[in-house]
Amino acid sequence: MSAAPTEILIDLSTAILRHHGERLECRLVGAASARQAKRLPFGPFMPDQHRTMEIGLRHWVREQVGVDLAHVEQLYTFADQGRHASGEAAHIVSVGYLALTRTREQKSAPSQAPTEDGDWEDLYAFFPWEDWRQGRPEVLDTQILPGLDKWLEKDARAADRVRLAFGRDGAQWDEEFVLERYELLYEASLVEEALVDQGSKGRRQPKPDLGLALHLDHRRILATALGRLRSKLKYRPVIFDLMPSGFTLRALQSTTEMVMGVNLHQQNFRRLVEKSGFLISTGKTQRARGRPAEVFRLRHNEHTERPLSGLRVSAGRAKPNAK
Amino acid sequence: MSAAPTEILIDLSTAILRHHGERLECRLVGAASARQAKRLPFGPFMPDQHRTMEIGLRHWVREQVGVDLAHVEQLYTFADQGRHASGEAAHIVSVGYLALTRTREQKSAPSQAPTEDGDWEDLYAFFPWEDWRQGRPEVLDTQILPGLDKWLEKDARAADRVRLAFGRDGAQWDEEFVLERYELLYEASLVEEALVDQGSKGRRQPKPDLGLALHLDHRRILATALGRLRSKLKYRPVIFDLMPSGFTLRALQSTTEMVMGVNLHQQNFRRLVEKSGFLISTGKTQRARGRPAEVFRLRHNEHTERPLSGLRVSAGRAKPNAK
DNA sequence: TCTATTTATACTCAAAATGAGCATAACTGT
DNA sequence: ACAGTTATGCTCATTTTGAGTATAAATAGA
């Protein structure tokens, strides 16, 4: 019932997301050498120094990144062989976390100013096929589906998984299936990490346009994070952990759209949010181009969160394909 | 950035649930000695023998339990100090899993026959306060809320968490907050495991009626499992992984009620299920006392799962308090 | 055999939520 | 003043939900 165990190291890796300007961004570290893939902030779990993993995680984040985390949530524990460099003596298990940070209050216009506060990358740079805000991403039909079909020719067992994940043959595109889609692309060797893990350097070229690669399985963790966030938005008010203390409804909607990767119907979104009772007006307004917008803030927790539900967001019609 | 790590062992523990007769049951093992708490099926993760943790888990389940698992899902990775016997040399991290098994086809009546196929315990024996099928559980008002209030007297910081988790002061009882409730009871030292972990043997007596205790943090894993299952039911068709191949709508509803811990409106449940398109009639009927019921089966996966949604179950009015 | 009881299934109806638009208000820049 | 832009208000048809009433098809017992 028991055997001599291989030494195990636990790695804590965190997908830290923020909303900045018009982008949903992820914090990266590393990649000192030119051609090396970047990585999520991470560090080993040291049980003799950190009472819980979350404490350990906050330690590493503080040390490497220095941002305030508004929401922290454990995602998944990955322990697959073959997803880690095999040179290591110990077996590495990685525990992935999702963390959200509030945007700092923007003084006036959503500046494109290159605030050099660390290495933040557009989340959709890693998953171009997940952003439907400008309509159905072209890469799906030019690269992904053909690539998957070619893969299915050799072994059609995954055909149904592909159908469900990518919404073919009458199946719906489900924006929550971020991980399932990434895993299929990995299995079909369409993303760079798969080729790296196979050690087949140079044998096949990674497809272009299939997103930036990350260190080890960090992109998988990021996919899990996005899927979880999209899912959670619908039943828990986590979106507010991406917002600054005061914000307009339009800003809230933009952030929601960034996360969900779809456009929403503005008037209905407003109705939804108002009805939820989460927000309270600050009386102030924010002016930019058109009519000034009312600035809201989250109602104090003392009395909020009656139903604690999220925003039952559903995709309106996508804006006419911006082409 | 790196330090000599304490040795870490990973423990895989699985909450295996089934629906049997009129109960939702959980499989237990161990407790060879009389006064010792039982435990979930478990075993160490051995990375040199099991490629993934799920493979390891299936290995231990096969060895200890011997049931077919219809659904397996990782729940959470717990690594808190103090939740494990501190006599151990290594630090133990436990990865909790939820697994569902299908009820074997019942030939005729839902027999109360004592089929001795292992140690299956009523899930609500561990969480009596979670079962609202006969109305609001009395233990809430006789034991739990008074106990929590006494605890809050010393330190009121958790007052709002209690309010939300237990649905007081206008807050709704949310059936998904199983873990939050258990954690609060643990923090308030109202469940036996808290006293064991504090090592304060005999100092305070564990409250009666607050459910059976389990080994180490296994009851916490079980709470996570129930919460996750309740949540998942609403957006993914997992309930069918508890059902035999053919079943009546009433049986499906009963199972759903067991999981959710509330009663549902029969006619509306039928409407919901029929509309979902998951089921297809077998043409057969099952007869018991009243009018015979149509027997359904899950539609073949090939064409099902269009929206892949769950059963947007919501509690109807509880049956008049069965007293 | 008749009848009460039990369970399954079919329909109805009002209230609430949703999806899609039109209309108007309140700004900016020229 | 006017065009352009964005926020906000309101309507309306449709769908979904919650809660009943009504009916069908069996069993068990007198």
Side-chain angles (χ1 to χ4, degrees):
Chain A
M1 195 135 156
S2 184
T6 310
E7 198 186 343
I8 291 174
L9 286 182
I10 292 184
D11 200 82
L12 304 172
S13 302
T14 312
I16 306 177
L17 305 185
R18 75 169 181 189
H19 135 231
H20 185 243
E22 279 308 302
R23 308 198 313 184
L24 183 64
E25 296 179 332
C26 173
R27 176 62 199 259
L28 300 176
V29 299
S33 58
R35 279 280 130 201
Q36 206 192 344
K38 292 181 180 177
R39 43 175 64 177
L40 299 177
F42 79 108
F45 171 53
M46 301 183 297
D48 42 0
Q49 292 181 45
H50 306 303
R51 200 168 41 77
T52 68
M53 289 196 295
E54 191 174 316
I55 290 172
L57 172 157
R58 286 179 183 272
H59 171 84
W60 294 119
V61 168
R62 203 178 316 116
E63 186 165 311
Q64 293 175 29
V65 181
V67 296
D68 280 335
L69 303 183
H71 171 87
V72 174
E73 170 178 353
Q74 187 186 297
L75 289 172
Y76 204 82
T77 300
F78 298 99
D80 304 15
Q81 298 281 26
R83 286 285 182 106
H84 274 282
S86 41
E88 308 270 356
H91 186 88
I92 295 179
V93 171
S94 54
V95 181
Y97 276 82
L98 162 66
L100 305 180
T101 88
R102 287 179 207 288
T103 313
R104 226 172 303 283
E105 210 79 38
Q106 290 167 344
K107 274 306 161 199
S108 52
S111 62
Q112 296 279 24
T115 35
E116 198 44 46
D117 57 341
D119 186 0
W120 293 88
E121 180 61 83
D122 182 355
L123 183 61
Y124 290 112
F126 305 99
F127 311 105
W129 57 90
E130 295 291 347
D131 185 2
W132 288 55
R133 283 175 298 173
Q134 324 300 137
R136 181 182 174 89
E138 280 185 18
V139 67
L140 273 170
D141 299 306
T142 61
Q143 301 273 338
I144 292 180
L145 291 178
L148 287 170
D149 276 331
K150 200 170 169 188
W151 173 59
L152 288 175
E153 275 172 22
K154 290 174 218 148
D155 182 356
R157 272 178 302 178
D160 211 55
R161 283 170 61 214
V162 168
R163 195 188 123 256
L164 273 160
F166 288 91
R168 290 211 292 194
D169 305 329
Q172 289 280 332
W173 178 276
D174 188 327
E175 68 275 344
E176 295 178 22
F177 291 171
V178 183
L179 180 63
E180 287 79 352
R181 285 187 280 270
Y182 175 74
E183 290 282 12
L184 283 165
L185 294 177
Y186 178 94
E187 289 174 45
S189 299
L190 292 170
V191 291
E192 199 177 316
E193 291 92 330
L195 307 180
V196 172
D197 288 358
Q198 285 164 18
S200 56
K201 292 192 192 297
R203 228 177 50 108
R204 237 185 306 182
Q205 286 305 310
K207 301 275 178 190
D209 304 333
L210 289 194
L212 299 179
L214 287 176
H215 185 62
L216 297 179
D217 60 350
H218 288 192
R219 200 168 164 199
R220 181 161 57 153
I221 293 172
L222 200 51
T224 311
L226 180 58
R228 179 79 130 258
L229 184 56
R230 284 181 170 182
S231 164
K232 198 144 194 175
L233 228 57
K234 294 179 184 157
Y235 60 97
R236 289 291 124 89
V238 281
I239 189 69
F240 302 110
D241 290 325
L242 286 169
M243 305 303 294
S245 57
F247 50 86
T248 65
L249 288 188
R250 187 61 244 234
L252 184 66
Q253 180 180 344
S254 275
T255 308
T256 308
E257 288 174 337
M258 283 172 215
V259 172
M260 299 306 290
V262 293
N263 292 312
L264 303 173
H265 183 285
Q266 184 164 359
Q267 297 93 318
N268 290 349
F269 183 81
R270 160 175 287 265
R271 177 174 65 188
L272 189 73
V273 172
E274 282 178 339
K275 202 186 41 177
S276 79
F278 284 125
L279 298 188
I280 195 166
S281 172
T282 61
K284 296 174 193 158
T285 59
Q286 190 182 87
R287 52 186 52 194
R289 198 109 54 107
R291 173 172 174 173
E294 198 172 354
V295 177
F296 292 85
R297 62 170 178 77
L298 198 52
R299 180 172 293 186
H300 290 311
N301 284 21
E302 299 117 41
H303 291 102
T304 329
E305 317 199 82
R306 308 278 168 59
L308 248 193
S309 77
L311 301 173
R312 277 276 204 70
V313 147
S314 68
R317 184 153 64 197
K319 281 178 193 159
N321 218 318
K323 198 165 181 182
Chain B
M1 195 135 155
S2 183
T6 311
E7 196 186 346
I8 290 174
L9 286 182
I10 292 184
D11 201 81
L12 304 171
S13 302
T14 312
I16 306 176
L17 304 184
R18 75 170 181 188
H19 137 229
H20 186 243
E22 280 308 302
R23 307 199 313 185
L24 183 64
E25 296 180 333
C26 172
R27 177 63 200 257
L28 302 176
V29 299
S33 58
R35 278 282 131 199
Q36 205 193 345
K38 292 181 182 178
R39 41 175 65 177
L40 299 177
F42 79 108
F45 171 53
M46 300 182 297
D48 41 0
Q49 292 180 45
H50 306 303
R51 200 168 43 77
T52 68
M53 288 196 296
E54 191 174 317
I55 290 172
L57 171 159
R58 286 179 184 272
H59 171 84
W60 293 118
V61 167
R62 203 177 317 116
E63 186 166 312
Q64 293 175 30
V65 180
V67 296
D68 280 334
L69 303 183
H71 172 86
V72 174
E73 171 179 352
Q74 188 186 297
L75 290 172
Y76 205 81
T77 300
F78 298 99
D80 305 15
Q81 298 280 27
R83 285 285 181 105
H84 273 283
S86 41
E88 308 271 354
H91 187 87
I92 296 179
V93 170
S94 53
V95 181
Y97 276 82
L98 162 65
L100 304 180
T101 87
R102 285 179 207 289
T103 314
R104 224 172 304 283
E105 208 79 39
Q106 289 167 345
K107 273 308 163 200
S108 51
S111 62
Q112 297 278 25
T115 35
E116 196 46 43
D117 56 342
D119 186 0
W120 293 89
E121 180 61 83
D122 181 356
L123 183 63
Y124 290 112
F126 306 99
F127 310 105
W129 57 89
E130 295 291 348
D131 185 2
W132 288 54
R133 284 176 298 173
Q134 323 301 136
R136 182 181 173 89
E138 281 186 17
V139 68
L140 273 168
D141 299 307
T142 60
Q143 301 274 337
I144 292 180
L145 291 178
L148 287 170
D149 276 332
K150 201 169 170 190
W151 173 59
L152 288 175
E153 276 173 23
K154 289 173 220 146
D155 180 357
R157 272 178 303 176
D160 212 55
R161 284 170 61 213
V162 167
R163 195 189 123 254
L164 272 161
F166 288 91
R168 290 210 292 195
D169 304 330
Q172 287 282 331
W173 178 274
D174 188 327
E175 67 276 343
E176 295 177 23
F177 291 172
V178 183
L179 180 62
E180 287 79 352
R181 285 187 281 268
Y182 175 74
E183 290 283 11
L184 282 165
L185 293 177
Y186 178 94
E187 290 174 44
S189 299
L190 292 170
V191 290
E192 200 177 316
E193 290 93 331
L195 307 180
V196 172
D197 288 357
Q198 286 165 18
S200 58
K201 293 193 191 295
R203 228 175 53 107
R204 235 185 306 182
Q205 285 306 308
K207 299 276 177 189
D209 304 332
L210 290 194
L212 299 179
L214 286 176
H215 186 61
L216 297 178
D217 60 351
H218 288 192
R219 200 167 162 198
R220 180 162 57 154
I221 295 173
L222 200 51
T224 311
L226 180 58
R228 180 79 132 259
L229 184 57
R230 284 181 171 182
S231 164
K232 197 141 195 179
L233 228 57
K234 293 179 185 159
Y235 60 96
R236 289 291 124 90
V238 281
I239 188 70
F240 301 110
D241 290 325
L242 285 169
M243 305 303 295
S245 58
F247 50 85
T248 64
L249 289 187
R250 187 61 244 236
L252 184 66
Q253 180 180 344
S254 276
T255 307
T256 308
E257 289 173 338
M258 282 172 216
V259 172
M260 300 306 291
V262 293
N263 292 312
L264 304 172
H265 183 284
Q266 185 165 0
Q267 297 94 316
N268 290 349
F269 183 81
R270 160 176 287 264
R271 178 174 66 188
L272 187 74
V273 173
E274 281 178 340
K275 202 186 40 176
S276 79
F278 283 126
L279 298 188
I280 195 167
S281 172
T282 62
K284 295 174 194 158
T285 59
Q286 190 183 88
R287 52 184 55 194
R289 198 107 56 107
R291 174 172 172 173
E294 200 171 353
V295 176
F296 292 85
R297 63 172 177 75
L298 198 52
R299 180 172 292 185
H300 289 311
N301 285 22
E302 299 116 41
H303 292 101
T304 331
E305 319 199 81
R306 306 280 167 60
L308 250 191
S309 77
L311 301 173
R312 278 275 205 70
V313 148
S314 70
R317 184 152 65 198
K319 281 177 192 160
N321 218 316
K323 196 163 181 183

